[in-house]
Amino acid sequence: MPYTAPVSEFKFLLAHVVDFAQVTATQQFEGAAADVTDAILTEIGRLCDEVIAPLNRAGDLHPARIENGVVRTSPGFSEGYRAIAEGGWIGLSAAETYGGMGLPLTLNTALNDMMSGACLSLQLCPLLSQGQIEALSHHASDDIKALYLPKLISGEWTGTMNLTEPQAGSDVGAVQSKAQDNGDGTFAITGQKIYITWGDHDVAENVCHLVLARLPEAPAGTKGLSLFLVPKRLPDTDGKPGVLNGVSVVSLEHKLGLHGSPTCVMQYDGATGWLIGPPQGGMAAMFTMMNNARLGVGVQGVGIAEAAMQHALAYAAERKQGRTPTGETSILGHADVRRMLTAMQADLFAARSISLACAVAIDMQTATEASHWEARAAFLTPIAKAFGTDVGIAAANDGVQVFGGMGVIEETGAAQFSRDVRVTAIYEGTNGIQAMDLVSRKLSDGGEAAFGLIKEIEDTTRAARDVFPHEAEALWNAAQTLREATEWMLSQEDLNDRFAGAVPFLRGFARVLGGLFHLRSALAAPKTARSALMRVYIWRLLPEISGLLAQAQIGGADLYDLDFGLQSA
Amino acid sequence: MPYTAPVSEFKFLLAHVVDFAQVTATQQFEGAAADVTDAILTEIGRLCDEVIAPLNRAGDLHPARIENGVVRTSPGFSEGYRAIAEGGWIGLSAAETYGGMGLPLTLNTALNDMMSGACLSLQLCPLLSQGQIEALSHHASDDIKALYLPKLISGEWTGTMNLTEPQAGSDVGAVQSKAQDNGDGTFAITGQKIYITWGDHDVAENVCHLVLARLPEAPAGTKGLSLFLVPKRLPDTDGKPGVLNGVSVVSLEHKLGLHGSPTCVMQYDGATGWLIGPPQGGMAAMFTMMNNARLGVGVQGVGIAEAAMQHALAYAAERKQGRTPTGETSILGHADVRRMLTAMQADLFAARSISLACAVAIDMQTATEASHWEARAAFLTPIAKAFGTDVGIAAANDGVQVFGGMGVIEETGAAQFSRDVRVTAIYEGTNGIQAMDLVSRKLSDGGEAAFGLIKEIEDTTRAARDVFPHEAEALWNAAQTLREATEWMLSQEDLNDRFAGAVPFLRGFARVLGGLFHLRSALAAPKTARSALMRVYIWRLLPEISGLLAQAQIGGADLYDLDFGLQSA
């Protein structure tokens, strides 16, 4: 049951749902005309179908391992990585000056979605390089950029993010790694970092670590953190990887999923590093890297939802079991199997549309520097991250259910999707933290970005009144419920009352946004399966918002009434 | 982070929530007075805490394996099994005539819950013996009973269920295994069975298989199935395990979870078996076995929810990360962590109450033979199975989330709960099939059982009006919504329109039932954490019913509008 990259789906979404034309109408992205975009999506699809997807099972069955102190990756991963690098895909959105294609992040989002569906373990490697390219482009000196960016963009070298320490996970400010000025423009980095994805490997000749550490006498908390670039091998005078730096991989984690992705404990023993950005400017630089990475992780969920849906659908279409009311011989004739598969498809469409809308906003921000695009992108980012990964987890779980007993037999691969995708709701900021970001920082504009989106939903329902009167009305009503919930959030002075409802609020917001994109899709293709899918979404999934947005507006007091000592009560 | 069996929780539930006193007031169960029950629960708790729970990780890390054609189980499982058997726990509810304790199934349900939370892989073995004891007690000849029941009840021998074949999963009627009359009172059984839980092992001296097979010229479908008892070793004239029978284990499945539970492919090559029940009476006998097993599986979900909740709570209480608004130093101070943990606790309480209420109904049916108890038990069984396992899966998933990055690191054990519990929503009839059973067979009484439960909810809200006026009103309204949804179901002539909404209907029904038991609990213990938990349930979780019961009443047409060919559209 092979994966087929949803190339034509992306073409439809870009053309009819997320208004990609406005991006290509800008001077910055005029090179991404429809024919270029189509050719690129088709080429990515071929790479994913033919080269990357066939590696997915091997990554699970033959995990990355340490051999004589270095990481050996799963069979075929080296070749797969090289194909990605040689296609130029790592630098799809990177500056042409350094060898990138300079194309919109929206296309990069489609790339990340398809690569994730094909093989999430492998996709993580270029995803982290993309984040590092982004951070260096914005914060590194010209010398650093000139040396590192071409290597990262070509894929000769790869990048990692080193934030977490055992006591410093979500609480980045607790980082204890130290940096000492060597007096020659370099710094000596010492400390231990955990959960370092692709922290070491054998698919490229050098690994470049971006490491958060603390200079002497730096203040406590996040304000005292600086960012350093620490390569595994120090570049020699020709810019080739030279002697080994004082950084080593201590061990690999034994994880639920993503066995093909080496998750390293890294030890820095006075390793040579270069400061990126100003001293104590680590968090600003890190946020650049993390912001787009959040969208990238959301899209990992979308990619797995696509793969799990295809996989379950192919199985259901073959599996015969019991009489079905329609006389269909496969289990696709059973209403409950259809309920699961249509929900997977409808959710997948919603989550993918949200991620692409977020990417379009980022591209418009880049091209126009307009603050309303920036606000929109900032608002959509935590939603894209949390909803995309929630949908990925739910779809993979439903995929297992469609397989019945075969779902828990590892040979079928259904369970692998659910294992691989689980961490996406955790890393790059847990989905709870995304939701807290949404209801605090992202509402600090007084709700301008939120209400802008709600107005867009209202406008679309007005435009759809003649064609889909009932569905337009249902979505209009949902927008009013969402408006009330948003106003409630804004009226809470105690942030913790917002936080108590943050996750259901984010989920409710995403649900209504999904309705917007489904309605647009149906308007562009009435009387097709797209309209049928829109109806499934509006009548089966959208009603969830009553429960979600009711819970969003309770405040936190009831949660603190519990002492969790029930058992001894 | 050890598991602690929730002994006092069971005492509270039996005394105040599910009216266990009516069971012990019957002549049949007068031996289960409060002091006996308390002593038994305490003893089970000790066994689970001290003997069974410590085996859980070893079962995951050192899966059962085949050695020279026989299964070797995980380290310590033999000793753990013997402790269960020697305590007499396998026969807790079995007839005293054959060595059982003759105690209510309600206590057995508490036993299964606690053993599941301690080590689900091991618990499956006695659970299957219990099902076989039940089936033989009702359908076997006196000779078979006299020979096998004492061995199964003492745990010297264990039992299995053999239904599934590759082409016959949910569609049991497709079974192809053959039975040939040997003319001496025995039959020769030939065929292959898959997914046979604990189909072979080294923890007891004999394994007794109940096998569905087809006699010559039997009609097609379920009507043509007969049930046979096929022991691994044929009993000799003294009733000791003698020569090996013609049954062997071909291979073990490599599963997502439950690594300590050997899931076997069994080959029958003219194996000697004895007919249980009349020829072609296989399904009736099998249903006896499966009915209580469904409750048993629901309770597996509850047990894992308990274990995952305890595990996550203990971690959260220790883990320090970030400033919390309450000044609590652990992440328990964060509202979103509390949101997850309170939801886990509130759901766990609801699911456990439903399972115990179902067990009480079965006990009352046994003791009184009254048809209304039978109908109530039959109605609650699919709800207990599906809701219990849904809650187990959701709680294990939330448990991983509470652990953050540590949640996907296998060493912590959080991921194991989510892997182990996943199959419970599939085996013993998928949760979709449970829901289809609920909206078809279980409503074939015209809704009498359903409306009886709804009336009980209404009566309880009336009784609670003075103490909890707002919550009583919310639950009253929920009962009205549920009544409408039930009436809608009953008015559908096309069963497939019911089936399309079956899963959300079952979930909605369970949600409202959960409110009933929470309210009873709070009435019994006002101004305690139990009331706080009831409020969390009523205001945060109960509102889900609007989405669920709306989806329940859509019918199936929209699901068949989709051709699942979107990608090529």
Side-chain angles (χ1 to χ4, degrees), chain A residues 239-257:
Chain A
K240 304 268 182 223
V243 296
L244 282 167
N245 200 351
V247 48
S248 56
V249 51
V250 177
S251 60
L252 296 184
E253 302 294 354
H254 176 220
K255 307 191 302 295
L256 172 64

Side-chain angles (χ1 to χ4, degrees), chain B residues 7-17 349 521 524-525 530:
Chain B
V7 172
S8 59
E9 181 74 2
F10 280 108
K11 291 180 185 171
F12 177 86
L13 284 162
L14 296 185
H16 301 293
V17 178
F349 178 91
S521 156
R530 295 195 179 275

Side-chain angles (χ1 to χ4, degrees), chain B residues 162 189 199-200 207 209 211 230-233 244-249 266-272:
Chain B
N162 287 237
I189 314 296
D200 193 50
V207 188
H209 306 287
V211 185
V230 184
K232 174 181 177 181
R233 289 181 178 275
L244 282 167
N245 201 350
V247 49
S248 57
V249 52
M266 304 298 300
Q267 183 67 43
Y268 294 85
D269 295 310
T272 301

Side-chain angles (χ1 to χ4, degrees), chain B residues 116-136:
Chain B
S116 300
C119 180
L120 191 56
S121 282
L122 178 57
Q123 185 263 353
L124 273 161
C125 183
L127 182 70
L128 281 153
S129 291
Q130 287 170 12
Q132 185 159 118
I133 291 164
E134 181 87 5
L136 295 183

Side-chain angles (χ1 to χ4, degrees), chain B residues 51-74:
Chain B
V51 180
I52 305 180
L55 304 172
N56 195 42
R57 283 298 289 154
D60 193 54
L61 294 170
H62 310 287
R65 64 191 195 286
I66 295 192
E67 222 176 74
N68 303 323
V70 295
V71 172
R72 300 292 172 204
T73 54
S74 304

Side-chain angles (χ1 to χ4, degrees), chain B residues 238-254:
Chain B
D238 299 327
K240 304 265 182 226
V243 295
L244 282 167
N245 201 350
V247 49
S248 57
V249 52
V250 177
S251 60
L252 296 184
E253 303 292 355
H254 176 218

